[in-house]
C-alpha cells in the first residue's frame, strides 16, 4: 500500500508493458511500473484540469499506450516511448493547451509535464477537444482501432483516431474530423455511463436509467434492452461473447447470459459498484463505495472472499496485475495491492481484524 497524495478516480493496467496507470482527482495521471511489486517510483503527468474519469489501454492501434478522458471534456492519447531512456515528456498540443491556472495559488503550470524516469517516457500524441459538450464518462477502444466515447451530453460517438498529419501544430477539435467518419449512436434524454464491446458489431452501454443497452455499430441502433437494475449502471465487464456483467448504483452485480434475458444477481455489496475485473478460473472481483472488495465464483455465483475494509473510503477502481494480484485505488488516495491466486488466505483475512 502506498499514498498518491490525491484521491484516485480511475485505474488501468497496461498489459503490454506491465504498468499501472492511475487517474487522480486533481487531473494528474501517475504511472507505476509493475515488476515483482508495484514500484512507488513513478511518472507523474499533469494531464487534465479536472478529475480523470477514464483511462483505457490501446491495444489495436499501432501507437499503443492509453487514452484518458476527464470532466474537463478533453480526451488525450498517450504512448510509451522507450527510444529515449533519459525520460521526460513532450506535448504536441502545447500551443493549444499548454497552461492552466490554479486560482488558489495564482500560478500557471504547464500541462502534461512528467517527472524524470530512467526507464519510461510517455508522449501525448493527440489532445482532442469539443468531441463532447459534457463530461466524458465512458471511453473504449474498439477491435478495429476506432474509439467509442459517451458523455453527460447524452451522446455516444464512434470515431477514428486522427492521423499524425491532422494533429500537427494544432489542437484537434471535432470539426477537424471528417464528419462522415463520426458515427453517433445516441442523442437522447438519458446519459450512458459506461461502454463495453461484446463482439465486432455489438457495443453495450450502461445507462443512467438503469438499463443495459445493446447496440449494433453497423446500424447505429439499439437491438436489445437488459432490464434488472433499479438505479444507474456504473460499470460493465465482458466474460465472453455470451456473458457480460454489470454493476450498478443499486449495489447489484448482474450476470447476463446473452442473447436471452436470463440473468443472475450477485448480492453482497451494500453501496454503489465502482469497478469489476476478471480473474482466472471463471472468477471476478468487484469494488464498491462500501469500502470492500469481493471475489466471486461465476460458476455458482458465490462470494468466495470479502476484503471488508480494502480502503478507508470509496474504492473507485480495481484491476488485475501480474500474478493475478488485485490492485485497487480509493478515495483515501491509497493504492493497495492484494495477493492473488497464490495467497488466497491473505485475501480472505484482510480487513477482518
Amino acid at each position: 500500500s502506498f499514498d498518491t497524495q490525491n484521491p484516485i478516480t480511475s485505474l488501468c493496467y497496461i498489459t503490454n508493458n506491465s504498468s499501472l496507470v492511475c487517474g487522480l482527482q486533481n487531473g494528474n495521471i501517475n504511472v507505476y511500473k509493475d515488476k515483482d511489486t508495484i514500484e512507488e517510483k513513478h511518472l507523474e503527468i499533469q494531464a487534465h484540469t479536472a478529475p480523470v474519469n477514464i483511462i483505457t489501454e490501446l491495444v489495436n492501434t499501432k501507437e499503443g499506450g492509453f487514452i484518458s478522458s476527464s470532466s474537463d471534456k478533453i480526451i488525450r492519447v498517450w504512448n510509451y516511448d522507450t527510444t529515449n531512456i533519459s525520460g521526460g515528456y513532450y506535448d504536441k498540443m502545447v500551443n493549444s493547451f499548454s497552461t492552466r491556472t490554479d486560482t488558489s495559488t495564482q500560478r500557471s503550470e504547464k500541462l502534461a509535464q512528467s517527472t524524470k524516469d530512467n526507464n519510461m517516457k510517455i508522449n501525448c500524441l493527440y489532445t482532442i477537444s469539443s468531441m463532447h459538450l459534457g463530461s466524458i464518462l465512458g471511453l473504449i477502444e474498439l477491435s478495429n482501432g476506432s474509439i467509442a466515447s459517451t458523455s453527460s451530453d447524452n451522446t455516444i460517438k464512434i470515431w477514428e483516431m486522427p492521423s499524425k498529419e491532422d494533429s500537427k501544430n494544432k489542437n484537434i477539435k471535432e470539426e477537424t474530423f471528417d464528419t462522415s467518419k463520426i458515427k453517433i449512436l445516441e442523442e437522447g434524454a438519458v446519459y450512458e455511463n459506461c461502454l463495453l464491446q461484446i463482439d465486432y458489431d455489438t457495443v453495450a452501454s450502461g445507462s443512467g436509467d438503469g438499463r443495459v443497452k445493446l447496440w449494433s455499430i453497423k446500424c447505429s441502433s439499439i437491438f436489445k434492452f437488459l432490464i434488472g437494475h433499479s438505479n444507474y449502471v456504473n460499470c460493465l465487464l465482458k466474460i465472453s461473447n455470451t456473458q457480460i456483467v454489470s454493476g450498478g448504483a443499486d449495489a447489484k452485480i448482474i450476470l447476463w447470459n446473452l442473447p436471452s434475458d436470463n440473468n443472475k444477481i450477485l448480492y453482497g455489496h451494500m453501496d454503489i459498484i465502482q469497478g469489476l475485473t476478471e480473474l482466472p478460473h471463471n472468477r471476478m472481483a468487484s469494488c464498491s463505495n462500501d469500502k470492500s472488495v469481493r471475489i466471486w465464483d461465476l460458476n455458482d455465483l458465490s462470494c468466495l472472499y470479502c476484503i471488508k475494509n480494502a480502503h478507508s473510503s470509496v474504492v473507485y477502481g480495481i484491476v488485475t496485475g501480474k500474478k493475478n494480484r488485485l490492485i485497487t485505488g480509493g478515495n483515501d488516495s491509497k493504492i493497495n495491492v492484494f495477493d492473488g491466486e497464490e495467497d488466497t488466505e491473505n485475501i480472505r483475512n484482510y480487513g477482518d481484524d
Side-chain angles (χ1 to χ4, degrees):
S1 175
F2 50 93
D3 200 327
T4 63
Q5 306 299 316
N6 202 263
I8 295 162
T9 53
S10 54
L11 283 182
C12 178
Y13 192 84
I14 308 299
T15 54
N16 283 343
N17 69 352
S18 300
S19 60
L20 176 70
V21 183
C22 174
L24 304 180
Q25 191 176 74
N26 65 0
N28 288 0
I29 292 175
N30 289 0
V31 184
Y32 303 85
K33 291 296 291 182
D34 184 8
K35 295 181 179 178
D36 291 330
T37 59
I38 302 290
E39 296 184 343
E40 289 195 47
K41 182 181 179 183
H42 63 280
L43 287 173
E44 183 175 0
I45 306 167
Q46 294 175 355
H48 292 275
T49 58
V52 182
N53 295 333
I54 302 289
I55 300 172
T56 300
E57 181 178 15
L58 296 174
V59 296
N60 298 310
T61 57
K62 59 184 178 181
E63 290 88 358
F66 59 93
I67 187 167
S68 64
S69 65
S70 167
S71 300
D72 63 9
K73 308 174 189 176
I74 299 296
I75 297 170
R76 286 181 181 256
V77 182
W78 313 83
N79 81 336
Y80 289 85
D81 182 0
T82 57
T83 60
N84 181 356
I85 62 170
S86 63
Y89 169 80
Y90 69 85
D91 183 0
K92 291 184 177 179
M93 300 299 110
V94 68
N95 292 329
S96 299
F97 284 89
S98 60
T99 61
R100 68 178 179 186
T101 301
D102 184 341
T103 55
S104 64
T105 58
Q106 294 300 307
R107 62 192 176 93
S108 181
E109 299 177 319
K110 280 188 81 175
L111 269 176
Q113 291 294 305
S114 69
T115 57
K116 297 282 186 176
D117 184 285
N118 289 330
N119 299 311
M120 263 195 300
K121 178 179 178 181
I122 296 177
N123 304 321
C124 183
L125 296 179
Y126 316 112
T127 296
I128 302 166
S129 64
S130 303
M131 181 60 73
H132 288 280
L133 299 178
S135 176
I136 298 163
L137 304 174
L139 192 66
I140 60 171
E141 182 192 32
L142 302 179
S143 57
N144 65 358
S146 297
I147 303 298
S149 55
T150 183
S151 165
S152 59
D153 65 8
N154 299 344
T155 64
I156 299 174
K157 295 183 178 182
I158 296 177
W159 42 278
E160 294 181 8
M161 201 76 79
S163 67
K164 290 185 178 180
E165 288 73 22
D166 288 339
S167 69
K168 287 179 180 177
N169 302 319
K170 59 184 177 180
N171 178 58
I172 302 171
K173 297 186 178 182
E174 182 181 3
E175 52 265 31
T176 305
F177 291 81
D178 180 350
T179 54
S180 67
K181 295 183 179 180
I182 299 178
K183 184 183 290 287
I184 300 177
L185 295 189
E186 181 173 52
E187 290 181 294
V190 180
Y191 66 90
E192 304 302 314
N193 206 39
C194 50
L195 297 169
L196 175 73
Q197 185 171 23
I198 299 175
D199 58 39
Y200 187 81
D201 186 50
T202 306
V203 167
S205 66
S207 179
D209 62 12
R211 297 182 293 181
V212 176
K213 302 172 184 177
L214 302 185
W215 300 81
S216 166
I217 299 173
K218 181 179 179 180
C219 299
S220 301
S221 61
I222 300 170
F223 65 87
K224 194 172 189 63
F225 292 101
L226 303 178
I227 300 173
H229 289 283
S230 59
N231 207 330
Y232 66 84
V233 180
N234 204 39
C235 49
L236 294 166
L237 176 68
K238 177 181 174 179
I239 303 301
S240 69
N241 283 0
T242 58
Q243 278 193 326
I244 64 171
V245 182
S246 60
D250 55 5
K252 291 180 185 176
I253 296 173
I254 302 181
L255 176 66
W256 303 92
N257 292 293
L258 307 176
S260 71
D261 292 321
N262 182 29
N263 69 78
K264 304 288 184 181
I265 300 177
L266 285 67
Y267 292 104
H269 284 295
M270 304 300 292
D271 210 332
I272 299 171
I273 310 300
Q274 290 288 354
L276 303 164
T277 188
E278 191 174 9
L279 294 170
H281 312 305
N282 206 29
R283 295 180 178 183
M284 176 189 72
S286 59
C287 65
S288 169
N289 280 24
D290 64 13
K291 309 177 188 178
S292 75
V293 168
R294 288 178 177 266
I295 316 296
W296 305 88
D297 186 335
L298 295 179
N299 294 306
D300 60 10
L301 307 182
S302 63
C303 181
L304 298 174
Y305 316 113
C306 177
I307 309 172
K308 290 182 179 178
N309 292 294
H311 289 264
S312 61
S313 186
V314 174
V315 189
Y316 271 123
I318 185 166
V319 294
T320 306
K322 276 187 175 180
K323 299 180 180 179
N324 302 320
R325 288 190 294 255
L326 286 177
I327 306 167
T328 60
N331 193 52
D332 57 4
S333 305
K334 294 287 198 311
I335 293 175
N336 291 338
V337 183
F338 304 100
D339 289 337
E341 296 291 319
E342 297 180 355
D343 197 355
T344 54
E345 286 303 312
N346 278 353
I347 292 181
R348 183 193 299 273
N349 295 328
Y350 188 91
D352 286 352
D353 296 336

